[in-house]
């Protein structure tokens, strides 16, 4: 598939700015919220997940943040299970504001801690608008617990997020959503788990989004601080995270409130206070994160365009499989009717029996025999048996063709189990085929009765009405031949009987020589073809109707392209150098409280 591209963000200009970017992001949000990837395809699930993530980030962070650039700096504190996130948050604000304990997972409803002077920014539900606000001790699902703490610097807020590797899937998803709403990530890991794959996978997301990042290595043994600090500090630039600020916290006893000693967290408190107190630094850090998030949207939208085009390609292939399977089956059925395949087996035996009786001969006597046989014998004689055999054979051939077509379609749709369940049930192919043949035979009889036979007037060959209807059926279902009646070729191999039965071939030639019968046979064949097309159209419409009910919008790629281009060309707030200073080594702390 051709990779679609969206132009990279343009440099800031005087004609664009926050209003233009906000308008472009709002339009992108509308397009993403409406986008669907319902068919099973290679990119469908990743695209759906990426789209949900982008919608959440736009709603929860980018648009609210662009509308409130002066809001406090939001630091989301996250990390692995049991890393000590809640304890760290409590220690930073010097109060037990977030539940911590030995049971996992501990953090359920996220806790947002802010200075009392900054409460209006968070109570108004600008940031994370989908979360109900609560100030109680316990928050239910979908809620955000707000806690005011005087121990926190004004202009700074801490959000204690669930574990990124929680055994509860909803907690993991919530942690990812909260991280996407952060101005800065404070990622907490431990000396025992900092090399695990999951933390680095999450940190790579921060890197790709350009999010400002600080990292805490917690519970570091006193005799391994230098070694572990240097090792982790070396790993960060190798993973593209050289700008991350790194703090080390040694193993330590908690006080009666479950807090780390103040001197252990003082370097972090001072660093955060410095960020929050300087409006220029705070605004620059916000611009960095917002700009990085906007820049990350551009390639993400390009990926969604590819996924949307894959949906259209998949839908087209599924639709084509329906049309091709039914068209091929109809063509095969036409060939079977045209080459005399219907006149095989029992039908052939009944034809030979019928021809051998001499009943189809022309003349008034034949008409009398025909009427007598139809009325008195209930058509149980050779003519009736031939008619029944022809009907059964034709219905069998039709049913087999329908079955083959639908088997091919279902094989082609096997990769779309949910779509297959949307196909309405249909009558059994045998039942539908038999019904079609009955209706066709009734139509043919009506046509015969509207012709001169109805008034007892013979055709040029003098065949009576019911006999004429049966012979027209034979003419439609028997293979064409150019052998002259009575010729040696006809005696040796009669296509209608499969052997030396010249009487049968002679009768066929007699039928085809009769202008009225020939014209009626032509109309009967055309009517049969029409009925077969309608049958196959109705059977295939069940599949195409189910596919039409799936929301695969043909304009989705173009809408994504336009929206993505608008975001790319609108001036981002900032895509500049990292605000957080690069760290060559960790900020280490002594194992014991320094002397005064």
């Amino acid at each position: 598939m051709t990779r679609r591209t969206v132009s990279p963000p343009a440099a800031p200009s005087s004609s664009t700015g926050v209003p233009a970017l906000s308008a472009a992001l709002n339009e992108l949000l509308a397009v993403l919220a409406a986008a669907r990837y319902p068919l099973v395809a290679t990119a469908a699930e990743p695209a759906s997940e990426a789209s949900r993530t982008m919608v959440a980030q736009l709603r929860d962070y980018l648009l609210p943040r662009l509308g409130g650039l002066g809001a406090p700096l939001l630091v989301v504190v996250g990390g692995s299970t049991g890393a000590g996130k809640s304890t760290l948050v409590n220690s930073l604000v010097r109060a037990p504001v977030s539940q911590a304990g030995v049971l996992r997972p501990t953090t359920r409803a996220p806790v947002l801690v802010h200075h009392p002077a900054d409460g209006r920014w968070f109570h108004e539900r600008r940031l994370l608008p989908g979360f109900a606000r609560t100030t109680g001790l316990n928050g239910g699902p979908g809620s955000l617990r707000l806690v005011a703490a005087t121990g926190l610097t004004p202009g700074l807020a801490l959000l204690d997020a669930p574990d990124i590797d929680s055994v509860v899937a909803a907690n993991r998803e919530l942690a990812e959503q909260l991280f996407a709403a952060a101005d800065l990530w404070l990622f907490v890991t431990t000396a025992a788990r900092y090399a695990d794959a999951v933390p680095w996978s999450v940190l790579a997301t921060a890197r790709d989004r350009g999010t400002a990042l600080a990292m805490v290595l917690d519970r570091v043994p006193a005799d391994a601080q230098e070694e572990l600090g240097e090792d982790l500090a070396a790993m960060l630039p190798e993973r593209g995270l050289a700008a991350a600020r790194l703090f080390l916290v040694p193993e330590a006893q908690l006080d009666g409130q479950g807090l780390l000693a103040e001197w252990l967290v003082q370097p972090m408190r001072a660093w955060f206070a410095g960020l929050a107190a300087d409006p220029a630094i705070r605004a620059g850090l916000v611009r960095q994160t917002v700009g990085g998030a906007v820049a990350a949207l551009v390639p993400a939208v390009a990926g969604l365009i590819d996924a949307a085009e894959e949906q259209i390609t998949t839908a087209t292939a599924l639709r084509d499989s329906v049309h091709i399977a039914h068209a091929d089956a109809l063509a095969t059925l036409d060939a079977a009717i045209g080459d005399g395949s219907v006149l095989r087996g029992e039908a052939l035996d009944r034809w030979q029996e019928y021809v051998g009786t001499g009943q189809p001969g022309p003349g008034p006597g034949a008409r009398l025999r025909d009427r007598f046989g139809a009325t008195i014998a209930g058509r149980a004689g050779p003519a009736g048996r031939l008619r029944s055999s022809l009907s059964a054979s034709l219905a069998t051939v039709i049913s087999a063709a329908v079955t083959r077509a639908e088997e091919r379609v279902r094989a082609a749709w096997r990769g779309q189990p949910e779509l297959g369940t949307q196909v309405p049930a249909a009558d059994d192919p045998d039942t539908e085929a038999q019904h079609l043949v009955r209706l066709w035979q009734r139509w043919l009889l009506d046509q015969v009765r509207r012709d001169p036979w109805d008034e007892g007037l013979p055709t040029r060959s003098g065949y009576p009405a019911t006999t004429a209807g049966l012979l027209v059926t034979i003419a439609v279902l028997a293979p064409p031949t150019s052998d002259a009646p009575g010729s040696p070729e006809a005696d040796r191999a009669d296509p209608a009987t499969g052997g030396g039965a010249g009487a049968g071939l002679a009768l066929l030639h007699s039928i085809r020589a009769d202008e009225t019968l020939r014209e009626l046979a032509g109309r009967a064949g055309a009517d049969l073809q029409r009925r077969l097309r309608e049958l196959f159209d109705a059977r295939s419409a069940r599949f195409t109707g189910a596919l039409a009910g799936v929301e695969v919008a043909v304009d989705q790629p173009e809408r994504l392209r336009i929206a993505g281009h608008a975001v790319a060309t609108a001036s981002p707030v900032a895509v500049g150098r990292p605000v957080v200073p690069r760290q060559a080594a960790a900020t280490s702390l002594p194992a014991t409280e320094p002397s005064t």
Side-chain angles (χ1 to χ4, degrees):
M1 181 182 297
T2 302
R3 177 77 177 178
R4 300 294 181 184
T5 59
V6 177
S7 303
S13 69
S14 59
S15 61
T16 58
V18 172
L21 182 58
S22 295
L25 291 177
N26 269 301
E27 178 58 27
L28 177 60
L29 174 60
V31 173
L32 291 175
R36 298 291 182 272
Y37 307 89
L39 297 176
V40 177
T42 304
E45 187 172 348
S48 296
E49 180 59 32
S51 188
R52 284 193 295 270
T53 300
M54 293 164 70
V55 165
Q57 188 177 36
L58 286 164
R59 286 176 175 167
D60 293 344
Y61 177 68
L62 282 174
L63 288 169
R65 175 50 89 181
L66 286 174
L69 291 173
L73 187 70
L74 179 64
V75 178
V76 174
V77 184
S80 305
T81 299
K85 301 181 299 296
S86 298
T87 297
L88 182 62
V89 170
N90 293 339
S91 300
L92 287 172
V93 301
R94 310 312 301 162
V97 293
S98 185
Q99 178 187 7
V102 295
L103 296 179
R104 306 295 173 207
T106 297
T107 303
R108 293 177 176 85
V111 179
L112 192 153
V113 189
H114 59 84
H115 189 273
D118 295 330
R120 66 184 182 87
W121 291 105
F122 304 107
H123 284 274
E124 290 176 0
R125 296 179 68 165
R126 293 183 181 179
L127 193 73
L128 297 167
F131 288 78
R133 270 46 174 176
T134 179
T135 55
L137 293 178
N138 296 308
S143 64
L144 181 65
R145 182 171 166 240
L146 301 180
V147 179
T150 57
L152 200 61
T153 304
L156 177 71
L158 300 178
L159 200 165
D160 188 6
D163 304 327
I164 60 167
D165 55 357
S166 173
V167 295
V168 180
N171 277 0
R172 297 195 302 271
E173 294 170 1
L174 178 58
E176 294 172 3
Q177 183 180 359
L178 296 176
F179 270 138
D183 293 318
L184 183 148
W185 287 13
L186 181 61
F187 193 87
V188 185
T189 187
T190 64
R193 303 191 60 183
Y194 73 90
D196 291 355
V198 173
W200 289 106
S201 174
V202 175
L203 291 170
T205 302
R207 176 199 64 206
D208 295 342
R209 291 177 181 169
T211 305
L213 177 68
M215 194 168 182
V216 176
L217 186 62
D218 196 12
R219 298 171 185 164
V220 181
D223 58 354
Q225 281 195 44
E226 183 175 356
E227 178 185 356
L228 293 179
E230 290 178 354
D231 184 48
L232 183 53
M235 293 177 69
L236 289 171
E238 292 174 359
R239 307 297 179 94
L241 297 166
R245 182 69 180 256
L246 178 59
F247 296 94
L248 268 62
V249 177
E251 290 181 321
Q253 292 292 325
L254 305 181
D255 65 15
Q257 289 186 298
L259 308 180
L260 291 165
E262 187 170 0
W263 62 269
L264 288 175
V265 295
Q266 183 55 35
M268 267 182 283
R269 293 188 73 196
W271 185 70
F272 280 125
L275 294 179
D278 189 326
I281 292 179
R282 188 170 75 240
L285 194 148
V286 170
R287 286 196 300 271
Q288 172 190 327
T289 298
V290 170
V294 171
L297 290 175
V298 175
V301 171
L304 297 183
I305 293 172
D306 285 347
E309 290 184 336
E310 184 186 31
Q311 288 286 301
I312 296 172
T313 300
T314 302
T316 300
L318 292 170
R319 189 176 296 107
D320 287 348
S321 71
V322 176
H323 295 318
I324 292 172
H326 285 85
D328 287 351
L330 184 57
T332 301
L333 181 56
D334 288 344
I337 293 173
D339 67 12
S341 296
V342 176
L343 204 59
R344 297 287 188 268
E346 183 182 351
L348 177 59
D349 294 339
R350 297 298 170 232
W351 165 249
Q352 291 172 336
E353 176 188 16
Y354 180 67
V355 171
T357 64
Q359 286 192 27
R367 292 197 298 276
L368 182 61
R369 290 194 305 274
D370 182 77
R371 292 175 180 174
F372 180 81
T375 305
I376 304 302
R379 299 182 183 176
R385 288 193 290 271
L386 175 59
R387 185 178 292 105
S388 297
S389 294
L390 288 173
S391 299
S393 181
L394 178 58
T396 298
V397 172
I398 295 171
S399 176
V402 170
T403 301
R404 283 194 300 271
E406 298 200 351
E407 286 175 348
R408 285 184 60 184
V409 174
R410 293 194 181 278
W413 285 33
R414 191 167 293 127
Q416 306 289 337
E418 186 172 343
L419 180 61
T421 63
Q422 305 300 316
V423 179
D427 289 339
D428 177 73
D430 289 342
T431 302
E432 283 209 323
Q434 293 164 8
H435 182 64
L436 182 148
V437 172
R438 282 197 301 271
L439 292 178
W440 179 62
Q441 288 183 327
R442 290 175 186 172
W443 174 89
L444 180 56
L445 185 58
D446 287 343
Q447 297 303 304
V448 169
R449 286 173 176 167
R450 292 190 182 98
D451 279 317
W453 302 297
D454 193 36
E455 299 176 2
L457 299 176
T459 64
R460 189 169 54 193
S461 300
Y463 293 107
T466 54
T467 298
L470 180 58
L471 296 182
V472 168
T473 303
I474 292 292
V476 172
L477 302 179
T481 179
S482 60
D483 294 336
S487 67
E489 290 80 8
D491 289 335
R492 284 198 302 270
D494 180 357
T497 62
L505 183 58
L507 178 58
L508 282 176
H509 277 287
S510 176
I511 297 170
R512 288 166 180 147
D514 185 290
E515 182 178 354
T516 305
L517 291 179
R518 187 172 64 249
E519 187 273 335
L520 186 56
R523 282 194 283 133
D527 185 77
L528 178 59
Q529 294 300 319
R530 177 187 63 80
R531 293 176 188 274
L532 292 174
R533 285 194 300 272
E534 290 177 352
L535 170 64
F536 277 84
D537 287 347
R539 301 287 297 201
S540 64
R542 296 161 41 247
F543 293 93
T544 55
L547 187 57
V550 175
E551 296 181 60
V552 178
V554 295
D555 64 339
Q556 185 166 305
E558 182 64 9
R559 294 186 64 201
L560 285 166
R561 188 195 66 78
I562 293 172
H565 181 71
V567 170
T569 54
S571 175
V573 176
V575 184
R577 292 173 301 173
V579 175
V580 182
R582 293 180 179 272
Q583 283 294 112
T587 301
S588 300
L589 300 174
T592 58
E593 183 175 4
S595 58
T596 58

